[in-house]
Amino acid sequence: MHARREAETDGARAVPRARTERHEERAARAMALQRTVGNAVVIQMTHRNTGGYGLGGLVANTGAAERETALSAKYGIRIGPPDDRPNDHFSHSMLNRIDGVLGSLPTQDVRDNPELVAIQPAGADTESAASLYDGDDRSITMVSPFGMPSWLYTELNRAASWQRSLMDKGAMADYEGISEAEDKALGLAGEKRQVMGGTSDVLANGNLVKWTLRHEIGHSVDKQSGWAQNLKHEARFGGWEAYGSARQVALAILTEAGLGDQLDVTDRYHMSLIDSVEVALDPEGARAAPERLTNLADGFPDQDDQFRTRLARVVEFGRLALAQPWTLTNGGGDTLAIGNRTYHVDHYGQWVSYLRAEREQHAVSNYQFSTPDEWFAEAYAAYHDPKPGPRARLNPGAREWFEERGDQM
């Protein structure tokens, strides 16, 4: 669910598992499945996931390498394992999904996209928690959530709320700032956190693998088109800003809190107010020593109650901004709003802000407004979703941009 700056979600934490198993074990597993769910379901699954190679295609992955070669030629990118893992082939069920999605996208985004050269299965030793696009080697690596078998992964549906809930929990498991204790301390106990749905559930539909492919390909199109470098600041694209340090954010929240004219007031350590708040809001430092932020007012014992009350607003802002507030339906609400913008620290550890109205009116998922990178990938997945709802939810200006670049359905 992400470009490589970290590692995150198909919605679930993956457990590495061996990709080579004895054929006898696979056959036994298929027989056990048949006894469990009944002949009719297994026959349907077998027909869908054999790749035309019968039972051998299902239990031994017979013919997968040949299909990967054929699909690679068809779409002009490598589909299948890299040279250093020549036997790690996709299952037929995964190849079915890949073929279906690539066939529905514009040629310029696949065959003619220099930023996409491969779609490959994860290796048994993968440390990624989810599928991801790596902009350095221009490849998408597909990871099965929870280490589940491929035939099951390819059947997961984002429209099923219980499945989506599990995916969300897996996605958030590695995010800093999310825990029951921290939510209680912030007054968020009982608040529902979501990744794939939330402020809008319009994109929470359909097959998980198909969405994952569209989303990850979107990351490559972002890089191909230069969107992040040139267009993310525009209102129709969320009006994103990313900050190299916390100083601009510190100035913004101090001004909003009514302390903009006291920036030179010094604390007990002889640091100015603006410097002290900048240090307290630094994401890495705030996570390593949270008391620097929570006890910020203690550094100004000589200031009056009004000053301390206003500084409490800064502390409230910082604590919530560090707690992945984009997973909340309101994105942090008024607490994180400064003017017409919402601020937070994204799951890469960077301060960002966006136009609040764009999230409220045009978000297709909570995840879209986590970072600029994910905004584009989710917008791309929404524009190319087979259902009209996700596309219609996008800002008309964003839809127009996709149309102008030739992304015709």
Side-chain angles (χ1 to χ4, degrees):
M1 277 174 57
H2 55 283
R4 185 183 289 280
R5 276 167 62 186
E6 42 76 68
E8 192 234 88
T9 111
D10 259 291
R13 182 179 297 183
V15 178
R17 61 188 291 268
R19 293 189 172 273
T20 57
E21 296 175 294
R22 293 167 50 194
H23 293 176
E24 295 85 350
E25 293 174 338
R26 290 178 175 175
R29 189 167 294 136
M31 291 297 292
L33 176 64
Q34 180 171 333
R35 288 193 297 270
T36 302
V37 302
N39 290 337
V41 175
V42 173
I43 289 172
Q44 181 182 13
M45 185 190 73
T46 300
H47 177 73
R48 181 186 304 169
N49 297 336
T50 63
Y53 289 86
L55 188 60
L58 177 67
V59 300
N61 215 26
T62 302
E66 289 79 3
R67 285 192 70 195
E68 289 171 346
T69 298
L71 290 175
S72 297
K74 180 179 180 180
Y75 294 111
I77 62 174
R78 173 171 56 79
I79 298 173
D83 291 340
D84 60 344
R85 295 186 284 110
N87 297 317
D88 285 356
H89 298 293
F90 281 122
S91 68
H92 288 291
S93 60
M94 182 63 77
L95 291 173
N96 290 343
R97 299 305 191 193
I98 293 172
D99 190 15
V101 169
L102 297 189
S104 71
L105 297 178
T107 301
Q108 67 175 336
D109 296 345
V110 184
R111 176 180 291 277
D112 298 334
N113 181 358
E115 301 303 330
L116 179 63
V117 301
I119 300 176
Q120 61 194 23
D125 60 347
T126 183
E127 296 181 358
S128 174
S131 301
L132 77 159
Y133 169 73
D134 187 330
D136 291 333
D137 63 19
R138 299 173 292 162
S139 68
I140 294 170
T141 299
M142 300 296 292
V143 180
S144 291
F146 299 114
M148 67 179 59
S150 183
W151 66 263
L152 179 57
Y153 173 35
T154 56
E155 296 299 322
L156 292 182
N157 194 314
R158 287 160 55 90
S161 60
W162 68 270
Q163 293 185 27
R164 196 165 66 246
S165 178
L166 288 175
M167 298 171 201
D168 283 351
K169 287 180 180 178
M172 292 184 285
D174 292 331
Y175 292 160
E176 294 186 276
I178 297 181
S179 71
E180 290 186 12
E182 289 174 295
D183 280 2
K184 184 177 180 180
L186 289 168
L188 300 175
E191 293 252 6
K192 187 175 183 179
R193 289 183 179 268
Q194 299 178 78
V195 176
M196 298 185 182
T199 188
S200 172
D201 291 340
V202 70
L203 197 55
N205 74 86
N207 181 266
L208 173 62
V209 168
K210 289 183 177 181
W211 165 82
T212 298
L213 286 163
R214 287 190 289 264
H215 177 100
E216 300 304 337
I217 290 170
H219 283 303
S220 74
V221 174
D222 174 3
K223 189 176 179 184
Q224 173 200 34
S225 65
W227 177 87
Q229 288 73 27
N230 304 311
L231 298 172
K232 69 181 180 184
H233 307 289
E234 295 186 14
R236 59 177 172 166
F237 300 125
W240 286 92
E241 296 291 344
Y243 306 96
S245 75
R247 192 167 189 85
Q248 285 180 269
V249 180
L251 178 59
I253 186 57
L254 283 168
T255 301
E256 194 273 345
L259 294 170
D261 59 348
Q262 300 186 62
L263 302 180
D264 293 329
V265 170
T266 57
D267 64 14
R268 64 173 63 189
Y269 308 106
H270 307 294
M271 290 181 68
S272 67
L273 176 62
I274 181 65
D275 288 343
S276 184
V277 172
E278 178 185 3
V279 171
L281 293 180
D282 174 71
E284 185 175 355
R287 297 201 191 285
E291 66 277 2
R292 183 70 178 83
L293 175 61
T294 56
N295 299 333
L296 186 61
D298 293 346
F300 298 88
D302 298 331
Q303 300 303 315
D304 60 22
D305 289 344
Q306 183 183 66
F307 180 96
R308 295 168 69 85
T309 297
R310 291 177 175 178
L311 198 57
R313 164 77 178 103
V314 176
V315 173
E316 179 188 36
F317 167 86
R319 290 180 67 203
L320 183 57
L322 286 157
Q324 311 299 339
W326 59 269
T327 63
L328 302 170
T329 300
N330 68 358
D334 292 341
T335 301
L336 297 184
I338 301 177
N340 64 351
R341 305 188 68 78
T342 293
Y343 291 72
H344 69 242
V345 176
D346 67 19
H347 48 287
Y348 302 116
Q350 181 176 31
W351 276 101
V352 296
S353 71
Y354 57 83
L355 293 173
R356 186 178 184 183
E358 284 300 303
R359 187 181 195 270
E360 293 173 345
Q361 299 171 20
H362 298 296
V364 297
S365 67
N366 281 358
Y367 194 43
Q368 185 185 25
F369 277 81
S370 60
T371 75
D373 292 349
E374 304 306 342
W375 187 99
F376 186 90
E378 285 287 83
Y380 184 89
Y383 187 87
H384 290 287
D385 193 277
K387 292 187 176 182
R391 190 181 191 187
R393 173 78 175 170
L394 294 172
N395 184 304
R399 293 200 302 270
E400 181 181 338
W401 182 83
F402 281 112
E403 290 163 4
E404 288 177 349
R405 72 178 294 272
D407 283 347
Q408 300 298 326
M409 298 297 285

